[in-house]
């Protein structure tokens, strides 16, 4: 599909997607690749929810291009040999032990094919290849004031770079992580066992809901 020969593979952290770091041999038959980076690539097997609304994947690609053009270090989408940035493949559905990527058939499909999620059957997932950015995961690093400051600077650079980015997809797109959905967190606070932590979080949710949320329309989304 991508014209690459994998020499090593390891699974990376992921929330809803399956992410794999691939090291590949330097030779390629992909006409869209001028060279093969030594650090390899990330192959993303997209969750079924986002696979069923592939517009989100194409918009993400446009957003990454926008940031790249403004010197923000982000991943680049890697096209397949036929030039497509998003590919759709049929995978075996998970069995009762959660094994869902074994015996991958490698059959290419269109995103609008129906799929099932019953054990022993198959379903379609979008598959993307992106460049790999060498570094450490923030979770594995001890946070220091200097690191937090640099992180804030980086997020500020991203915010400034996105000031002139617009896509109509985001006019109606909603996700649980949206700041508009902060009030919904009230129903989940009970899982926090520490009373002081629970009090602080409730205070933040209440202040956000009463003070900031009514003025969200004045702020850039």
């Amino acid at each position: 599909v991508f014209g690459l020969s994998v020499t090593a593979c390891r699974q990376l952290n992921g929330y809803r997607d399956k992410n794999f770091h691939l090291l590949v041999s330097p030779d390629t038959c992909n006409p869209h690749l001028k060279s093969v980076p030594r650090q390899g690539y990330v192959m993303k097997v997209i969750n079924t929810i986002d696979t069923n609304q592939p517009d989100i994947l194409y918009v993400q690609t446009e957003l990454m291009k926008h940031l790249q053009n403004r010197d923000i270090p982000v991943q680049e989408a890697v096209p397949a040999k036929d030039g497509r940035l998003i590919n759709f493949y049929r995978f075996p559905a998970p069995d009762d032990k959660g094994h869902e990527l074994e015996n991958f058939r490698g059959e290419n499909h269109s995103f609008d094919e129906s799929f099932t999620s019953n054990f022993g059957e198959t379903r379609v997932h979008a598959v993307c290849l992106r460049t790999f950015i060498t570094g450490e995961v923030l979770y594995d690093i001890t946070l220091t004031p200097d690191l937090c400051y640099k992180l804030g600077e980086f997020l500020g650079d991203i915010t400034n770079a996105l000031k002139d980015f617009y896509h109509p997809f985001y006019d109606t797109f909603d996700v649980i992580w949206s700041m508009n959905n902060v009030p919904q967190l009230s129903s989940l606070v009970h899982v926090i066992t520490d009373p002081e932590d629970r009090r602080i979080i409730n205070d933040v949710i209440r202040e956000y809901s009463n003070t900031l949320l009514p003025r969200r329309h004045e702020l850039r989304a």
Side-chain angles (χ1 to χ4, degrees):
V1 177
F2 294 99
L4 299 166
S5 297
V6 177
T7 59
C9 173
R10 67 183 177 94
Q11 187 166 352
L12 302 173
N13 292 339
Y15 178 57
R16 294 198 300 184
D17 301 332
K18 295 288 187 180
N19 303 307
F20 301 90
H21 181 204
L22 307 180
L23 295 179
V24 300
S25 62
D27 299 322
T28 177
C29 60
N30 189 328
H32 304 284
L33 298 180
K34 296 180 180 179
S35 61
V36 176
R38 294 183 59 186
Q39 64 267 29
Y41 299 96
V42 173
M43 184 182 75
K44 294 182 66 67
V45 181
I46 306 299
N47 65 84
T48 53
I49 295 175
D50 291 342
T51 293
N52 265 353
Q53 50 175 0
D55 283 351
I56 189 175
L57 304 176
Y58 293 108
V59 173
Q60 284 176 358
T61 300
E62 292 300 315
L63 189 146
M64 288 191 297
K65 288 180 180 178
H66 183 89
L67 292 175
Q68 291 161 14
N69 292 335
R70 285 151 183 79
D71 299 322
I72 302 295
V74 295
Q75 291 178 302
E76 297 180 28
V78 179
K81 290 189 295 183
D82 60 6
R84 289 187 295 179
L85 296 175
I86 314 294
N87 298 269
F88 298 86
Y89 287 90
R90 186 171 293 282
F91 290 81
D95 59 20
D96 56 357
K97 296 181 180 179
H99 299 154
E100 60 180 331
L101 293 181
E102 295 181 359
N103 303 317
F104 171 44
R105 295 185 181 185
E107 300 172 356
N108 205 340
H109 295 267
S110 60
F111 76 87
D112 56 353
E113 284 199 53
S114 62
F115 59 86
T116 60
S117 58
N118 296 327
F119 294 150
E121 299 185 9
T122 61
R123 60 188 182 186
V124 171
H125 289 269
V127 177
C128 309
L129 192 68
R130 295 175 180 171
T131 53
F132 178 79
I133 299 178
T134 303
E136 297 181 84
V137 179
L138 191 62
Y139 177 83
D140 297 327
I141 302 175
T142 300
L143 290 179
T144 64
D146 182 62
L147 180 59
C148 291
Y149 183 86
K150 291 179 179 178
L151 179 61
E153 279 189 318
F154 181 62
L155 293 176
D157 290 340
I158 292 177
T159 299
N160 288 333
L162 291 176
K163 283 183 177 179
D164 58 347
F165 178 81
Y166 170 75
H167 195 286
F169 174 82
Y170 288 116
D171 289 342
T172 56
F173 177 68
D174 188 32
V175 67
I176 189 62
W177 299 285
S178 169
M179 296 299 290
N180 291 329
N181 295 323
V182 167
Q184 297 183 29
L185 296 177
S186 297
S187 63
L188 304 174
V189 176
H190 67 276
V191 303
I192 299 174
T193 56
D194 184 271
E196 180 62 13
D197 288 345
R198 193 164 57 244
R199 182 193 65 79
I200 293 173
I201 293 174
N202 275 322
D203 286 347
V204 171
I205 295 174
R206 187 181 307 109
E207 184 68 19
Y208 181 89
S209 301
N210 295 336
T211 304
L212 186 57
L213 192 58
R215 303 186 61 181
R216 281 279 291 169
H217 65 282
E218 302 176 21
L219 306 174
R220 177 177 170 81

